Amino acid sequence: MPRPVGARLRTCVMTLNVLPAPCQVAGRSDLLERRLRRYHQRFEDAVRALAARHPRLADLAASFPALLFALAVPRTRLDPARATACVVDGAPLAQVAALAGLPLWLRKLPPEAFVRPIPRLPDGELFRRQIANHLPRSPKLAPIWLQLVAETAELAHEPMAAWIAREYVRSPRRVQTARLRLICLWAWFSSQPVTFGHDVIERPWAPDLRIDAARSAAEDWRTMVALHADLGRLPITDMWLRPGRMAGYEFVPLDSTSAITAEAKAMRNCLRSYGYNLAHNRSRLWSVRKDGERVATLRIACRFRDPLPSLVELKGPGNVDVSRELWWAARQWLHKHDLSQIDMTQHAWETAPLDRNSWVSLWRPYWLAKRRIPDWLPMAPSREALEAL
């Protein structure tokens, strides 16, 4: 039996109310278009193709831009088919993100952040709470910010990743990606107290450090690492001269990494940086003491074209000048030796090998913890690798 005309009219009105108006459809299409254009042009076609497969996939451009990108541009060894099907089926985003290997905190990043397949990222409970406070303010900064977080987590650990996120947001220009590996290595060894690498750290990494202080401490650590790699664990056998006394002063050889480190700390000077010089037989270091106290540091080397050893540097604590009396005592002590018999043959730069035992002892804990030996930190001692850190 046909329905009354009034009932049919009410049904038509209700149907018209639930269907989107043409202007609404056009508005949603324009909004989606604007969102898709924000993805990097290199991957825009792939993202568009995925979004066109289903409205729920397209909705990810607004609700979870990172997830849409990860499904369209999956990282190596990740099959996005299952996660994509879950989106179409209306599964919760948390479930889909887990299948895609994405942390939920990525929801807050804009499409501009993704310029390469999204790597594995830290997602610990503490990290999730911290990272929410350090998201990049500008879409232009987002790609570098994301890459720094990913690389730092891989090279060091989650606390370091949260730290670099904060420091980059605070001052993008001061975070130099060229030294990221060095800072990460130093930070990692700072948390490994039973390692050789930790033993040579003077100032360990801490979350409250700013980027400049961290870079300075990491450079100091690299200097110590280079000293040990240059000299090894055995003392220098040929110090050119003999220990002795003159005019109340005692001349003590600085013939090992421990002796050089102790002198540098006590005298507040840069002796730790002389490993490369010593390894190439370019100079020798001595501590000058009086009544058992350190009063000066002496460097013996060739001066200009003179083939015989000379007093090149003689400095007090903090590199202050010393007295004429001390210079005279040092010269008298030097000339007690038969200088013509001293072999001061210099090795060509870059020819002195690094100590293999020290090199392997330094890096073995890191290799084992990361379950790999990276190309930039090889098993064979390498000056090039050390300088590139």
Side-chain angles (χ1 to χ4, degrees):
M1 178 177 179
R3 288 183 295 170
V5 174
R8 293 201 301 272
L9 287 173
R10 286 195 298 272
T11 301
C12 291
V13 170
M14 292 173 63
T15 302
L16 288 173
N17 286 337
V18 298
L19 289 176
C23 61
Q24 290 177 318
V25 174
R28 291 176 184 174
S29 177
D30 290 344
L31 182 59
L32 175 61
E33 176 66 19
R34 288 197 298 271
R35 288 168 177 161
L36 293 177
R37 285 178 182 173
R38 294 175 63 185
Y39 286 95
H40 193 278
Q41 61 181 5
R42 180 178 161 197
F43 303 107
E44 186 179 330
D45 289 345
V47 175
R48 284 180 178 276
L50 182 64
R53 288 171 55 181
H54 195 278
R56 284 178 176 158
L57 290 168
D59 287 343
L60 293 177
S63 62
F64 203 158
L67 182 55
L68 178 61
F69 183 87
L71 297 179
V73 188
R75 63 173 171 263
T76 306
R77 299 180 182 177
L78 176 65
D79 184 359
R82 184 180 174 191
T84 302
C86 286
V87 174
V88 174
D89 292 341
L93 287 180
Q95 177 185 340
V96 181
L99 290 173
L102 287 187
L104 282 176
W105 58 262
L106 277 178
R107 289 187 68 177
K108 298 182 179 180
L109 289 188
E112 290 87 350
F114 312 111
V115 297
R116 58 180 62 85
I118 302 174
R120 292 193 176 276
L121 291 160
D123 195 30
E125 182 179 353
L126 177 59
F127 181 86
R128 288 195 296 269
R129 294 201 303 267
Q130 293 175 327
I131 202 66
N133 299 317
H134 309 310
L135 297 175
R137 305 180 186 94
S138 166
K140 292 182 179 180
L141 298 179
I144 299 177
W145 180 92
L146 184 61
Q147 191 66 20
L148 285 171
V149 170
E151 290 183 7
T152 303
E154 179 184 1
L155 294 171
H157 40 57
E158 284 196 4
M160 186 67 178
W163 177 85
I164 200 69
R166 182 195 72 196
E167 291 304 299
Y168 187 72
V169 168
R170 279 180 173 176
S171 183
R173 294 182 180 180
R174 304 192 78 84
V175 178
Q176 299 175 1
T177 56
R179 286 302 184 193
L180 183 63
R181 287 174 179 168
L182 173 64
I183 296 177
C184 286
L185 276 175
W186 161 73
W188 188 87
F189 277 103
S190 293
S191 64
Q192 305 295 319
V194 295
T195 62
F196 185 15
H198 183 277
D199 291 342
V200 298
I201 291 177
E202 289 195 350
R203 185 179 184 185
W205 176 81
D208 59 347
L209 284 179
R210 301 298 291 268
I211 185 64
D212 289 342
R215 187 185 302 113
S216 177
E219 290 287 356
D220 289 343
W221 177 69
R222 187 169 76 98
T223 298
M224 285 296 300
V225 166
L227 177 66
H228 283 271
D230 272 313
L231 300 185
R233 299 186 177 183
L234 298 177
I236 300 172
T237 55
D238 181 11
M239 287 297 294
W240 299 346
L241 307 172
R242 298 182 302 277
R245 292 179 177 273
M246 180 61 64
Y249 295 99
E250 182 182 8
F251 294 83
V252 180
L254 301 175
D255 57 358
S256 65
T257 55
S258 58
I260 292 171
T261 301
E263 180 80 2
K265 184 176 182 179
M267 300 297 286
R268 307 187 305 281
N269 59 31
C270 61
L271 287 194
R272 299 178 185 89
S273 64
Y274 274 87
Y276 183 72
N277 187 283
L278 295 170
H280 288 83
N281 210 45
R282 299 298 178 113
S283 61
R284 291 293 184 266
L285 304 174
W286 291 78
S287 176
V288 184
R289 304 176 186 182
K290 189 169 188 178
D291 300 328
E293 294 186 8
R294 304 174 195 263
V295 295
T297 302
L298 171 63
R299 183 163 74 92
I300 304 291
C302 290
R303 186 186 294 275
F304 304 114
R305 296 184 180 181
D306 187 349
L308 302 179
S310 302
L311 308 178
V312 175
E313 288 183 281
L314 183 59
K315 295 288 187 179
N319 286 325
V320 300
D321 293 335
V322 299
S323 66
R324 180 185 178 93
E325 171 198 355
L326 181 48
W327 272 102
W328 175 232
R331 186 159 298 177
Q332 288 180 289
W333 167 73
L334 173 66
H335 287 283
K336 285 178 59 179
H337 301 80
D338 184 354
L339 304 184
S340 66
Q341 299 301 310
I342 296 174
D343 182 9
M344 298 181 64
T345 303
Q346 297 181 350
H347 305 315
W349 294 119
E350 303 293 330
T351 59
L354 296 175
D355 183 72
R356 181 177 178 81
N357 289 335
S358 295
W359 181 269
V360 173
S361 295
L362 276 163
W363 307 129
R364 184 194 298 273
Y366 186 79
W367 295 331
L368 293 176
K370 299 299 180 179
R371 297 184 179 181
R372 66 190 184 96
I373 301 176
D375 293 339
W376 52 270
L377 197 64
M379 180 173 288
S382 166
R383 289 194 182 279
E384 182 179 0
L386 185 60
E387 293 172 2
L389 289 179

